[in-house]
Amino acid sequence: MSSPKPRRCLVAWFPDWPITAWQRTKGHPLVEPAGVAVAILEAGTILACSAAAHADGVTEGMRRREAQTRCPGLVLVPADPGRDDRVFATVLDRLEQVAPGFQVVHAGLCAVPARGIARYYGGELPASEVILDVLSELGLTDARVGVADGLFTAEQAARSAAPPDRVEIVPPGESAAFLAPLPVTVLTDEALTVLLRRLGVRTLGSFATLEASAVRERFGAHGARLHALAGGRDSRPLIPRTPPPELIREASFDPPLELVDQVAFSVRATVDEFIAALSTHRLVCTELRVGCTDSDGRISERVWLHPTAFDAAAVVDRVRWQLAGAEGLRGGITAVRLEPVAVDDAAHHEPGLFGAGVDERMHHALSRVQAMLGHEGVVTPVIAGGRWLAERQQLVPWGERVVPANSRAEPWPGSLPAPAPATVFPQRHPVTVLDAADAAVTVSERGEPSASPAVLVDGARRRPIEAWAGPWPISERGWDAARSRTAHRFQVVDADQTAWLLVLEQGAWWAEGRYD
């Protein structure tokens, strides 16, 4: 059975797209300054590089050290696929105004069936020129367009398109002849490429001449698929991108509103419309960006999270809380903008068959209390990383994403191993530790105690010490004289069998916690 005939495709390719996306995100000029070399780095390997970096001998796939050797002034930027996708989405929105139905192959490469756009604009060449004109308006003057039978051949045509035309059109039925001189590396399968080179097969034409049955027997279904591509037989269908629904809503106020309650009341209709638009698309919002603009043009913007999903009341509460805590706004409020940052399928948030359950009831109860007390009126404790117990305690407002100030995954030399004390004093609890002669116990520079701890003086009470361990040194920021900190920890057990975690710092004793 023969494979379907490849359809004509028009492909737009953007060389070194990660560089372009970074420049647009950071506000850099689209035409890089002369002599500035930039490269995108992923896992120690160059993913993309600018023209200046290319001129100095830097290439994609090169290791970081070799790239910096060839170009000492190379600016390295971490790879960010999310950034690449976000910026590319804005380009696609503009392209679909002149040619709807684009499919995203990946950020920096998109395709559209050539038949419709060629008919509308009077041919494949005029259609390609329209695409390039639109991209030039966006400042993307290095984009290339290729038209051919099948997506793979059209992509190779776009990559081979050279200035000044930046268009390569492969006539119908000539895909195999066009692909024949290209190296097998364009198949982007390193293992197969190495093996084919060992067999003396270095071009797509040589690969295509092999018997299809022998290729399938030797390389399997994947190899057979690449063999078909090498011969210009690409039957993959183009799946048009579904444009995201327009869910952003904005409320404008004229004259400006001065009071928080006025804004909260007036924005309610817009909030209801916002929630209704989400419901129409069977979506719920789990992460919301609220932007408030005052009469002087100042903007207060913040991203809010929700433990489950926002309803209208929760959105109004976030607007109220944001205005109540906004320090940069001075004049009356002229506009409130609601933008869903993250959405989810509404089916994932439907109540269960036998009710919402304890967790959902608890969430509603805590949300009601939070609405009355304010955003920080209800908090949940989180354990963060660190050396000191007090700094490891972090309180997060209910509904906010739990992002510890310090990562627990770091080693934190000098931190206290488990188990931690049940009681941690939020402020230093001053105590005194004495030896048998009622002299204060100290620690030498070698980390040795001056004597065995015998008495713990806690306020007016003297607690005999029956057992002790330590000291364990803690040293922080030894390179910074202004912020350096050195101390020693002790664990002691008093006559009441109460265990204490004590700290000696700069000659002063204090209790960090108590093992209740």
Side-chain angles (χ1 to χ4, degrees):
M1 180 178 178
S2 61
S3 59
K5 182 180 178 180
R7 297 179 59 185
R8 298 289 287 176
C9 293
L10 183 150
V11 167
W13 174 58
F14 304 80
D16 299 314
W17 175 254
I19 293 288
T20 303
W22 173 75
Q23 289 172 331
R24 285 178 167 247
T25 302
K26 295 298 181 182
H28 292 276
L30 295 181
V31 180
E32 66 178 82
V36 176
V38 183
I40 304 297
L41 189 69
E42 182 179 42
T45 303
I46 301 300
L47 180 66
C49 53
S50 63
H54 275 299
D56 287 340
V58 180
T59 60
E60 290 80 2
M62 185 176 290
R63 299 298 297 175
R64 172 178 181 168
R65 178 169 296 182
E66 183 181 358
Q68 290 178 319
T69 300
R70 297 192 179 189
C71 180
L74 184 65
V75 178
L76 296 175
V77 180
D80 186 350
R83 174 187 61 212
D84 300 343
D85 292 337
R86 287 192 301 272
V87 179
F88 196 57
T90 63
V91 177
L92 285 174
D93 291 340
R94 180 66 182 94
L95 284 177
E96 289 189 331
Q97 295 177 11
V98 296
F102 268 92
Q103 171 187 335
V104 180
V105 182
H106 56 73
L109 184 69
C110 58
V112 67
R115 181 179 179 183
I117 186 175
R119 283 184 174 182
Y120 186 83
Y121 290 107
E124 293 175 345
L125 180 58
S128 302
E129 292 174 344
V130 169
I131 296 297
L132 291 177
D133 289 343
V134 169
L135 295 176
S136 296
E137 294 174 1
L138 298 176
L140 300 170
T141 56
D142 61 344
R144 317 290 171 86
V145 172
V147 184
D149 296 338
L151 177 59
F152 176 74
T153 307
E155 177 185 347
Q156 302 310 316
R159 292 178 180 273
S160 64
D165 296 334
R166 296 185 289 134
V167 177
E168 180 72 32
I169 298 178
V170 180
E174 297 187 14
S175 294
F178 171 78
L179 295 172
L182 299 182
V184 292
T185 53
V186 301
L187 294 173
T188 63
D189 188 311
E190 184 177 357
L192 180 64
T193 298
V194 171
L195 184 54
L196 289 176
R197 284 182 168 180
R198 289 178 179 175
L199 297 174
V201 178
R202 299 184 177 276
T203 64
L204 294 184
S206 300
F207 186 33
T209 58
L210 300 178
E211 288 291 337
S213 58
V215 171
R216 177 175 290 275
E217 181 180 354
R218 177 64 179 84
F219 301 111
H222 178 64
R225 168 69 184 153
L226 296 180
H227 179 260
L229 293 182
R233 302 183 301 277
D234 188 355
S235 59
R236 289 177 295 175
L238 282 180
I239 303 175
R241 180 183 77 121
T242 301
E246 182 55 54
L247 300 174
I248 299 175
R249 294 294 183 270
E250 184 169 334
S252 300
F253 311 118
D254 188 15
L257 303 180
E258 300 289 342
L259 301 179
V260 173
D261 289 339
Q262 289 178 328
V263 177
F265 179 79
S266 302
V267 82
R268 184 59 191 253
T270 303
V271 171
D272 289 337
E273 181 183 347
F274 173 74
I275 298 298
L278 288 166
S279 300
T280 301
H281 296 282
R282 296 292 299 161
L283 297 173
V284 294
C285 179
T286 58
E287 189 171 350
L288 172 69
R289 178 179 285 110
V290 177
C292 303
T293 306
D294 67 7
S295 55
D296 294 330
R298 299 182 181 89
I299 298 176
S300 170
E301 190 173 88
R302 176 172 177 175
V303 175
W304 299 87
L305 289 95
H306 199 281
T308 54
F310 283 101
D311 56 13
V315 174
V316 173
D317 283 340
R318 268 59 177 186
V319 173
R320 181 185 290 111
W321 296 341
Q322 182 162 326
L323 291 173
E327 299 179 354
L329 301 180
R330 300 178 182 176
I333 302 301
T334 59
V336 173
R337 187 172 188 267
L338 306 174
E339 176 185 353
V341 177
V343 295
D344 193 13
D345 193 323
H348 299 159
H349 299 265
E350 296 290 347
L353 181 62
F354 300 103
V358 177
D359 291 344
E360 187 68 15
R361 292 197 301 269
M362 179 185 69
H363 157 66
H364 283 300
L366 292 177
S367 296
R368 287 174 62 92
V369 174
Q370 189 180 40
M372 293 184 290
L373 300 180
H375 178 52
E376 297 183 356
V378 180
V379 295
T380 54
V382 176
I383 299 178
R387 295 179 177 85
W388 304 98
L389 298 181
E391 71 180 11
R392 297 191 62 189
Q393 296 180 343
Q394 185 176 342
L395 298 178
V396 179
W398 174 253
E400 286 292 293
R401 179 186 288 120
V402 177
V403 182
N406 298 315
S407 173
R408 297 175 62 183
E410 301 299 328
W412 298 111
S415 60
L416 185 70
T423 299
V424 176
F425 300 110
Q427 304 295 333
R428 292 192 177 189
H429 183 74
V431 296
T432 303
V433 178
L434 305 175
D435 59 17
D438 272 357
V441 176
T442 60
V443 176
S444 68
E445 293 182 355
R446 291 179 172 270
E448 298 175 351
S450 59
S452 297
V455 179
L456 171 63
V457 181
D458 180 18
R461 184 175 178 181
R462 294 172 63 93
R463 300 173 180 268
I465 295 176
E466 294 190 350
W468 63 277
W472 297 285
I474 305 174
S475 180
E476 288 186 314
R477 305 184 186 94
W479 62 88
D480 188 344
R483 298 190 303 160
S484 63
R485 188 175 180 185
T486 302
H488 294 84
R489 275 197 178 108
F490 285 77
Q491 289 175 328
V492 303
V493 179
D494 63 21
D496 296 332
Q497 297 304 301
T498 300
W500 297 77
L501 180 65
L502 307 179
V503 177
L504 174 61
E505 184 175 8
Q506 295 182 345
W509 286 90
W510 50 280
E512 189 176 9
R514 184 175 59 232
Y515 296 87
D516 296 330

